[in-house]
Amino acid sequence: MARRVIDLTQPLSKDSQLHPFFPDVQIQRHIIHADSDPGRPSFAAEMIITSNHAATHVDAFAHYDGSADAPLIADMPLDTFCGEAICIDVREYPKAHEVTPEEIEKAIDAGGLDVREGDILLFCTDHYNRTVGTQAFLDGFSGVSPESVEWMADNKVKIF
């Protein structure tokens, strides 16, 4: 089977929509080719200052769990976030909906998919495409019910 990498990141720029709690993304010029003497090697570089909750991001366990041993994002192996994935279509549900285990199974069946041990499970809500650039982008994120988290653990889903 041919493998392909699918980049799920949203654009990160000074126009990225963030919750008002977080400061705006700042992208500052550090050096450009014109800063170098003629005939000398040169490069362009920028500095990016942002919250770790800007655009596409992963919340580490320590984001929700205040215990001292809850892993920070830097403690989580990179391979946690890479691997075989399936994407289920849950666009039929309204904003702020918590997807249930029954709805997960319905979407898996409708897509003719299989959840295998170690899979990554992606939920297509289409929230970004429907709301980016509007105030609705910051309102009504869908999620999964606590029972769905248990379902994923029981089915040995690596990450969702």
Side-chain angles (χ1 to χ4, degrees), residues 69-77:
D69 60 342
L72 300 169
I73 197 69
D75 300 327
M76 299 178 73

Side-chain angles (χ1 to χ4, degrees), residues 17-21 95 127 130-141:
Q17 287 180 273
L18 303 173
H19 188 280
F21 180 81
K95 73 178 191 172
H127 181 81
R130 288 182 293 155
T131 63
V132 70
T134 71
Q135 185 57 36
F137 179 75
L138 300 173
D139 180 40
F141 291 105

Side-chain angles (χ1 to χ4, degrees), residues 14-34:
K14 64 180 183 54
D15 299 320
S16 293
Q17 287 180 273
L18 303 173
H19 188 280
F21 180 81
F22 298 110
D24 291 337
V25 174
Q26 298 176 46
I27 301 176
Q28 302 170 356
R29 182 190 97 179
H30 175 65
I31 191 168
I32 61 174
H33 295 284

Side-chain angles (χ1 to χ4, degrees), residues 64-158:
Y64 295 103
D65 182 348
S67 60
D69 60 342
L72 300 169
I73 197 69
D75 300 327
M76 299 178 73
L78 187 56
D79 68 348
T80 302
F81 310 104
C82 302
E84 298 289 324
I86 66 168
C87 182
I88 61 172
D89 187 348
V90 293
R91 293 177 287 184
E92 69 183 273
Y93 303 110
K95 73 178 191 172
H97 180 75
E98 289 190 351
V99 178
T100 67
E102 296 77 23
E103 292 163 343
I104 291 173
E105 290 173 355
K106 176 184 166 193
I108 288 169
D109 290 343
L113 302 168
D114 243 347
V115 174
R116 298 165 303 190
E117 182 175 342
D119 273 351
I120 296 168
L121 184 55
L122 305 173
F123 293 81
C124 177
T125 64
D126 212 28
H127 181 81
Y128 180 85
N129 291 328
R130 288 182 293 155
T131 63
V132 70
T134 71
Q135 185 57 36
F137 179 75
L138 300 173
D139 180 40
F141 291 105
S142 295
V144 295
S145 68
E147 296 80 16
S148 290
V149 174
E150 291 176 20
W151 183 95
M152 288 184 278
D154 290 345
N155 284 275
K156 299 185 176 24
V157 169
K158 178 164 69 166

Side-chain angles (χ1 to χ4, degrees), residues 19-62:
H19 188 280
F21 180 81
F22 298 110
D24 291 337
V25 174
Q26 298 176 46
I27 301 176
Q28 302 170 356
R29 182 190 97 179
H30 175 65
I31 191 168
I32 61 174
H33 295 284
D35 292 334
S36 296
D37 292 331
R40 301 281 304 155
S42 66
F43 61 95
E46 298 171 324
M47 294 183 296
I48 300 172
I49 303 169
T50 187
S51 162
N52 62 350
H53 289 278
T56 306
H57 67 280
V58 175
D59 291 330
F61 295 116

